[in-house]
Amino acid sequence: MLHVDRRRFLTGTAAVAGVTFAGSWALPARAAGPLTVGVLIPGSKSDKGWMESGYDGLKAVEKKLGDKVKISFIENVKFGEMEQVLVALAGKNELIIGVGGQTQASVMKVAPRFAKKKFAIVGGNADPNKPANVSGYDVRQAEIGFVAGAAAAMLSKNGAVSYVGGLEIPAIVNTGKEFGNGAKYINPGIKYFENYTGDFDDVAKSKEATLAAIAQGADVHYHILNLGLRGMEQAAREKGTKIIGSYTDRCGTDPLYIAYSITGVGYQVEYAIEQAVAGTWKPEFKPFGLAMGPKSSDMIICGGGTPAMMAKLDEIKKDLLSGKIKVLDA
């Protein structure tokens, strides 16, 4: 797997960004040889969050498919640079993946210029104007956020929990609301504190928000953050509180974490690449979540929970799948 240096990449592709590539909307059959995949990771591949989960998916699919794929990726791409990066990736690859809903606007601009290439957005939402060569995969964060809230309520000793999100956009806000709803489902009298920093990577603001919640009694915290998670960790470490992590099961790596919600970012990256290699990839909007199984969405209690706790979480997951419990969409 090739890790492309962001600065060199942007310097070397400045001239390419203005080029338009025309073609019919019919996606061609694959030629022989490895599938070439270009991946845009907006943040850091080692953020313990969304971006790292996406990167883990790249490593997993490369290990699984071997020489059937040739993957290159670029990380830490600012919003204003995304279009340029996507154009350059599309010029050299058959499948281009944006790891994050923040890539969607740029993908929607670039994809029509490369009509014979395939594009996928992990975390993309449904859009009736989606180009015919673009797929969007919904991680259903609000759904598993409800389960995480229920787990937090059962794990809290103080009867108070908190949530810190990055950008105050529907997917992130809805996850926070459902985390609170899940906590209240278990304990109607629980105290719930919700805050948004305006930036997934701002360590200082996420620490400040977490400390404010701790001051009001919160002892279990949940998040939708990237590098900003470092601030939550600092606050929890200083004050002796605990965190429910997002995206990937990393139980045992840090005692601050008592549970993890699985949101399958890496699993969706794998899905897009495997479908393209198999020749079954198609432009679609596909919701993942609990219905797609534990690799897509699940709740892990580190060290296991009590039988009563695990039975309750299983019941909640079944009620979400049946529609008995309804949650907001991403």
Side-chain angles (χ1 to χ4, degrees), residues 237-250:
R237 193 168 280 114
E238 289 175 12
K239 300 297 183 181
T241 56
K242 299 296 182 181
I243 300 172
I244 293 178
S246 297
Y247 312 115
T248 303
D249 176 9
R250 302 187 191 281

Side-chain angles (χ1 to χ4, degrees), residues 175-194:
T175 301
K177 290 185 183 304
E178 294 302 349
F179 176 78
N181 288 340
K184 292 171 186 175
Y185 186 83
I186 296 296
N187 177 5
I190 199 165
K191 294 179 181 178
Y192 171 55
F193 308 101
E194 184 178 328

Side-chain angles (χ1 to χ4, degrees), residues 15-328:
V16 182
V19 179
T20 299
F21 293 78
S24 73
W25 283 110
L27 295 172
R30 282 212 64 243
L35 175 80
T36 53
V37 182
V39 183
L40 188 162
I41 300 176
S44 167
K45 66 180 176 62
S46 54
D47 66 354
K48 287 189 179 179
W50 179 288
M51 306 301 163
E52 187 166 346
S53 179
Y55 176 66
D56 287 346
L58 290 180
K59 291 190 294 182
V61 78
E62 186 177 56
K63 182 177 180 180
K64 186 186 299 184
L65 297 178
D67 59 7
K68 292 181 181 179
V69 292
K70 184 178 180 182
I71 301 171
S72 59
F73 73 94
I74 180 167
E75 62 176 321
N76 293 313
V77 180
K78 298 175 183 177
F79 183 79
E81 301 167 342
M82 287 182 187
E83 187 173 345
Q84 179 183 347
V85 169
L86 287 167
V87 166
L89 289 174
K92 297 180 180 179
N93 297 284
E94 300 165 75
L95 172 66
I96 302 89
I97 302 174
V99 183
Q102 62 267 57
T103 69
Q104 178 156 322
S106 298
V107 169
M108 300 284 270
K109 282 185 180 180
V110 172
R113 297 161 62 181
F114 295 87
K116 294 184 178 181
K117 302 297 179 77
K118 303 175 180 70
F119 290 79
I121 306 162
V122 176
N125 55 32
D127 189 329
N129 300 314
K130 179 175 63 66
N133 58 336
V134 176
S135 281
Y137 308 132
D138 174 16
V139 298
R140 305 222 68 195
Q141 287 175 296
E143 179 186 66
I144 198 62
F146 186 98
V147 185
M154 288 188 278
L155 291 165
S156 173
K157 295 176 181 178
N158 293 352
V161 299
S162 73
Y163 169 83
V164 179
L167 291 177
E168 199 167 354
I169 56 178
I172 310 305
V173 172
N174 288 352
T175 301
K177 290 185 183 304
E178 294 302 349
F179 176 78
N181 288 340
K184 292 171 186 175
Y185 186 83
I186 296 296
N187 177 5
I190 199 165
K191 294 179 181 178
Y192 171 55
F193 308 101
E194 184 178 328
N195 210 316
Y196 299 89
T197 64
D199 187 327
F200 293 111
D201 297 320
D202 193 313
V203 174
K205 287 183 178 178
S206 63
K207 180 177 182 179
E208 181 183 353
T210 306
L211 286 172
I214 292 171
Q216 297 179 80
D219 62 348
V220 177
H221 321 292
Y222 190 55
H223 72 93
I224 299 296
L225 297 166
N226 295 331
L227 283 176
L229 177 58
R230 303 290 190 272
M232 178 176 281
E233 290 178 336
Q234 290 170 12
R237 193 168 280 114
E238 289 175 12
K239 300 297 183 181
T241 56
K242 299 296 182 181
I243 300 172
I244 293 178
S246 297
Y247 312 115
T248 303
D249 176 9
R250 302 187 191 281
C251 283
T253 62
D254 189 332
L256 281 178
Y257 289 84
I258 52 175
Y260 287 87
S261 67
I262 308 301
T263 43
V265 175
Y267 179 68
Q268 290 166 62
V269 170
E270 291 182 59
Y271 174 88
I273 295 173
E274 288 178 342
Q275 294 288 306
V277 168
T280 56
W281 186 95
K282 59 184 178 181
E284 60 181 337
F285 174 73
K286 187 175 184 66
F288 280 68
L290 291 170
M292 289 289 287
K295 287 186 177 181
S296 172
S297 186
D298 204 0
M299 192 71 226
I300 309 297
I301 307 299
C302 297
T306 66
M309 180 187 297
M310 300 314 295
K312 189 62 178 179
L313 292 176
D314 285 342
E315 176 190 307
I316 289 170
K317 287 186 283 186
K318 288 176 183 176
D319 287 346
L320 284 163
L321 284 169
S322 71
K324 183 178 179 181
I325 297 175
K326 299 186 184 300
V327 294
L328 297 164

